[in-house]
Amino acid sequence: GTNFALIGIIVWVIVVIAQAVLFIASLITILGSKRYTGGGKFLWVLLVFFMPFLGAIGWFLLGRNAQIRTDVP
């Protein structure tokens, strides 16, 4: 009964908070990245906005340390 509903609400709140933290952290690290220029940052920000969970996970797993060619050493 009541305990099961309460546990469900608590789990839901934890998931929502974790998602928000992941979303905000990904935006901060994208915008602060020295690896990408304006266009690359814009595309990552779009990805994170339109697919918040997958976009943020993709950024941290793939984008943040991607080996891309730039003129910056």
Side-chain angles (χ1 to χ4, degrees), residues 16-35:
V16 168
I17 291 171
Q19 170 113 13
V21 168
L22 188 64
F23 178 78
I24 292 167
S26 63
L27 289 180
I28 291 170
T29 56
I30 289 167
L31 295 174
S33 173
K34 304 249 187 294
R35 205 175 277 277

Side-chain angles (χ1 to χ4, degrees), residues 3 5 8 10-12 15-17 23-24 27-29 32 34-35 39 42 45 50 53 60 62 69 73:
N3 289 342
I10 291 170
V11 168
W12 186 81
V15 168
V16 168
I17 291 171
F23 178 78
I24 292 167
L27 289 180
I28 291 170
T29 56
K34 304 249 187 294
R35 205 175 277 277
F42 179 71
V45 167
F50 286 107
F53 186 71
F60 285 112
L62 305 171
R69 291 184 180 187

